[in-house]
Amino acid sequence: MDTLIAQLQRQFRDYTISLYQQGFLDDQFTELKKLQDECSPDFVAEVVTLFFEDCEKLISNMARALDQTGNVDFKLVGSTVHQLKGSSSSVGAKKVKGLCVTLKDCCDSQNFEGCVRCLQQVDIEYKTLRAKLQDLFNLEQQIVQAGGRIPQVDI
Amino acid sequence: MEVCNCIEPQWPADELLMKYQYISDFFIAIAYFSIPLELIYFVKKSAVFPYRWVLVQFGAFIVLCGATHLINLWTFTTHSRTVALVMTTAKGLTAAVSCATALMLVHIIPDLLSVKTRELFLKNKAAELDREMGLIRTQEETGRHVRMLTHEIRSTLDRHTILKTTLVELGRTLALEECALWMPTRTGLELQLSYTLRQQHPVEYTVPIQLPVINQVFGTSRAVKISPNSPVARLRPVTGKYMLGEVVAVRVPLLHLSNFQINNWPELSTKRYALMVLMLPSDSARQWHVHELELVEVVADQVAVALSHAAILEESMRARDLLMEQNVALDLARREAETAIRARNDFLAVMNHEMRTPMHAIIALSSLLQETELTPEQRLMVETILKSSNLLATLMNDVLDLSRLEDGSLQLELGTFNLHTLFREILSLIKPIAVVKKLPITLNLAPDLPEFVVGDEKRLMQIILNIVGNAVKFSKQGSISVAALVTKSDTRAADFFVVPTGSHFYLRVKVKDSGAGINPQDIPKLFTKFAQTQSLATRSSGGSGLGLAISKRFVNLMEGNIWIESDGLGKGCTAIFDVKLGISEGSNESKQSGIPKVPAIPRHANFSGLKVLVMDENGVSRMVTKGLLVHLGCEVTTVSSNEECLRVVSQEHKVVFMDVCMPGVENYQIAIRIHEKFTKQRHQRPLLVALTGNTDKSTKEKCMSFGLDGVLLKPVSLDNMRDVLSDLLERRVLYEGM
């Protein structure tokens, strides 16, 4: 019979692997995990929180810029999405980064429809990722509370 | 009768005589008149006559004479006084002119005569010049012949061709009847006829070398005329009535030198000469001319040179053939040796395995047996078995090691280890035995001895154990001291020069014991295999005698040296060895010992405290980069704009990481401004590294042109950052981090 801890650990492992397999996360996220040690135990959590805040801010900026019908400042949108791309690649948010690239292309070609569509997707995507990572962190908390150790997941 | 004023001739006119006189005078006049005409005509034709005015004078004289004679025609008969007057005038004038001409001729005729002599002189001179030119032409032709001959002779390096060509060409040039070459025989006592021009198969004809004529020829370097009847010149049977042509002989030095200095022929003590004999055709009455003799001498010299070259070439060809043979033989020997070594290695490997397996079985089972319940007798027996089999196992290992060391197939296994710990371990291994023998051991580690070193830990331990073990083994009483220190360059062995290089040092270990000591004569033998000093006391202590030999080999592999000093029997001895070890930077590569790490101390001591500055506009990536660097132990300051960066950067910061992702050139300007700031302040500027998302060449080039020291691709992994930082700090530049 599995102990609770073992169960939780297995759940954690499976979930993490699935996130990678589904393309939500990539190697950079693994790197981030490496940086978490005794000195900075909540490093990953802090970084992703900051990332999501950034996402929110940047996306609303872009939405506002695109709302100026007839007078859309594509350059502004382009530079904003560049920032978002940078952030997402720093945390390893793979899908978000991919969408940023598409959005950037739309901006460069001044494709208004494309931009709007892409931005919507980015919004959906980051929110999904946020939810998933939240679940992951909850699992971690549960394991720690149960007295277990967070397993090292090798992708 | 009128008085006639006429002149009467003296004699009465005799009719016939008168007539003749008349005619003669007439002809004389004509001749006299025609001479100047002829003179004028011919002088006008020739341009060179120098005495024109003489001619005029002469002409006048002649004309007047003619006139006189002409007028005479009228005086044969009665003539008037006028005619007589004219006649007188003419005569008078003629007299004057002729005297003048006569006087003048006195001056002129010697001149004319000297012209003649000059002409004769010039003719002689011309003849002489002709002769000389003929001579020069002959000489020039001789020279041409010599050149051609030399060319022919020197165009080949084959001895026979050289000589044959010489004879042929000489024969042709000088139109000789016969030309022969006599070479000295091996013994040097005779001259043998080696080559002739006309005769196809010369008879084996020798003459003794001591003939006076030969000595005469050999005594001088000139060509010498010899008698056609001398033995060297009598090549064909004498046919009696023919008068033999003149014969010339010249010596040809046989030298073995290839460097000649003209006019400075080296005088050799043993001179060997060949003799060249040249015969003019008989009955030709030709004589040997000087230039022909010179030709012959020159040719002889050239032949000498060519022959020596040919001889040298022959020798070198022979030497080369010899070398090739030796090469082949050596190759064969090498291959045989290799085969032998391989066979031995195979044998050893097999035997080793075959021997070790049962050995292990014996040792293992004996140890197990020891654990069981045994009677004291049985225990003793088992212990003996165990001890013997251990010894045997050690012996096998040693032999295998040694054979591997000998053919160089042993390689050191380098790794980082703790030197201090090593010594302590060794000491603890030896202590039990030492305690039993009541020999106190002291360990003395120098304070500057590095703690973490790079080297072959196992083999080093083997060496030290061997030496310390020997010290213990051969000491009955007293004490043993082990000292380890870092050595400088004045070591004992004169041919071993110790130079501590940057990351290496030489460890010296001295093991001093107060045991039996060693006879200084035996010291060289110590390191040879299987040899042991013969004293009974040592016999009983066992050992195969291989230990020191193996240790020496290991020490040599570690680029070191080992030797033993002893003051004599009974006075103990000191074993000293130096080995080269590398200094390890830190302990991060050391094997994880069981000691748990104290938390909150950064794991990577390399970068601890390294002050860096991170400039990134993007908050998230700023945080990630900072986390990365903090994890590596750096002290990180973050800024989010160029201006802030410029304000904050100081000489304390060793590295500045700047994000240059944003399109545009403004980011790079910051690099230039940092350069400026630090040049002004004259502090060492921090290293500048760009973090960028694209890897193309233009980015790299741009970075380099703006004075950045490195470029990194975002996102940076932990290992990557670690490598990059260490590379950067070591080399102060990095352009491979892509």
Side-chain angles (χ1 to χ4, degrees), chain B residues 319-486:
Chain B
R320 192 193 65 160
D321 289 336
L322 205 65
L323 274 171
M324 275 177 44
E325 274 176 48
Q326 280 182 346
N327 225 17
V328 168
L330 277 170
D331 214 23
L332 191 64
R334 183 176 57 88
R335 263 179 295 160
E336 283 177 12
E338 278 177 6
T339 322
I341 289 178
R342 258 199 304 264
R344 184 197 65 179
N345 287 347
D346 290 339
F347 168 75
L348 276 175
V350 164
M351 286 312 289
N352 174 49
H353 178 74
E354 299 301 319
M355 287 201 288
R356 278 205 180 149
T357 324
M359 211 64 247
H360 284 159
I362 296 174
I363 293 178
L365 291 173
S366 315
S367 329
L368 281 177
L369 199 55
Q370 250 185 348
E371 307 292 322
T372 62
E373 292 284 331
L374 296 169
T375 67
E377 266 177 4
Q378 286 173 322
R379 188 162 288 276
L380 196 61
M381 284 193 253
V382 170
E383 272 178 12
T384 318
I385 292 175
L386 203 53
K387 219 185 337 181
S388 314
S389 32
N390 270 329
L391 275 170
L392 195 57
T394 318
L395 177 65
M396 284 199 299
N397 284 340
D398 281 354
V399 168
L400 190 68
D401 259 350
L402 199 60
S403 66
R404 270 198 299 155
L405 275 169
E406 287 204 323
D407 52 50
S409 62
L410 192 78
Q411 281 184 332
L412 294 176
E413 291 156 20
L414 297 173
T416 317
F417 59 94
N418 188 331
L419 198 59
H420 296 229
T421 320
L422 180 78
F423 277 105
R424 279 191 276 270
E425 264 180 57
I426 293 173
L427 219 65
S428 52
L429 279 172
I430 288 287
K431 253 211 173 32
I433 311 176
V435 161
V436 162
K437 285 181 103 172
K438 301 217 180 35
L439 296 165
I441 303 189
T442 50
L443 174 64
N444 198 345
L445 299 175
D448 60 348
L449 198 69
E451 192 172 332
F452 291 99
V453 299
V454 177
D456 192 335
E457 186 185 4
K458 188 165 79 125
R459 305 285 171 34
L460 185 63
M461 190 192 281
Q462 203 171 339
I463 299 171
I464 305 176
L465 264 177
N466 181 270
I467 297 187
V468 176
N470 278 350
V472 169
K473 201 163 34 159
F474 293 109
S475 303
K476 295 255 200 49
Q477 78 272 3
S479 68
I480 301 190
S481 84
V482 179
L485 43 109
V486 175

Side-chain angles (χ1 to χ4, degrees), chain B residues 662-730:
Chain B
M662 295 307 291
V665 169
E666 306 81 44
N667 306 292
Y668 297 97
Q669 292 292 338
I670 181 75
I672 298 184
R673 287 162 74 185
I674 292 184
H675 271 272
E676 280 173 11
K677 178 169 173 178
F678 277 85
T679 323
K680 252 194 290 197
Q681 292 179 353
R682 262 164 325 104
H683 292 135
Q684 174 153 52
R685 66 167 177 84
L687 295 165
L688 303 173
V689 180
L691 295 168
T692 172
N694 55 345
T695 66
D696 53 15
K697 214 163 121 173
S698 62
T699 317
K700 207 157 132 176
E701 279 168 4
K702 219 194 277 194
C703 290
M704 274 167 76
S705 68
F706 278 98
L708 284 143
D709 300 299
V711 184
L712 270 181
L713 178 60
K714 278 210 301 198
V716 192
S717 73
L718 183 62
D719 295 323
N720 208 4
M721 180 62 96
R722 193 187 300 130
D723 293 336
V724 158
L725 262 182
S726 40
D727 272 343
L728 206 61
L729 290 170
E730 202 176 290

Side-chain angles (χ1 to χ4, degrees), chain A residues 7-77:
Chain A
Q7 236 178 357
L8 285 171
Q9 283 177 335
R10 212 186 12 183
Q11 236 183 327
F12 176 81
R13 191 178 283 122
D14 291 340
Y15 198 53
T16 314
I17 292 178
S18 76
L19 281 180
Y20 278 94
Q21 282 181 342
Q22 288 169 12
F24 283 103
L25 298 171
D26 64 17
D27 292 329
Q28 180 60 15
F29 192 73
T30 327
E31 293 288 324
L32 278 187
K33 297 212 85 150
K34 279 197 216 167
L35 300 179
Q36 184 159 292
D37 56 16
E38 300 88 3
C39 310
S40 36
D42 297 318
F43 181 68
V44 181
E46 284 169 12
V47 173
V48 299
T49 317
L50 188 61
F51 169 65
F52 290 130
E53 282 171 10
D54 217 24
C55 269
E56 219 177 294
K57 192 178 65 182
L58 291 173
I59 289 176
S60 70
N61 282 353
M62 282 194 273
R64 215 169 337 133
L66 287 172
D67 266 343
Q68 319 275 346
T69 38
N71 195 17
V72 175
D73 187 354
F74 280 106
K75 267 184 97 182
L76 177 64
V77 179

Side-chain angles (χ1 to χ4, degrees), chain B residues 212-258:
Chain B
V213 60
I214 297 179
N215 280 339
Q216 185 198 5
V217 177
F218 280 2
T220 168
S221 63
R222 318 288 320 262
V224 175
K225 289 209 188 94
I226 62 174
S227 154
N229 290 321
S230 56
V232 289
R234 248 187 298 131
L235 296 174
R236 294 201 255 197
V238 181
T239 44
K241 45 190 158 114
Y242 294 99
M243 193 174 83
L244 297 165
E246 291 199 341
V247 180
V248 145
V250 69
R251 73 176 187 188
V252 179
L254 299 172
L255 299 167
H256 286 283
L257 302 171
S258 57

Side-chain angles (χ1 to χ4, degrees), chain A residues 28 31 35 37 82-83 87 90, chain B residues 618 621 631 661 715 717-718:
Chain A
Q28 180 60 15
E31 293 288 324
L35 300 179
D37 56 16
H82 184 88
Q83 288 214 17
S87 308
S90 297
Chain B
N618 185 319
S621 49
H631 189 77
C661 266
S717 73
L718 183 62

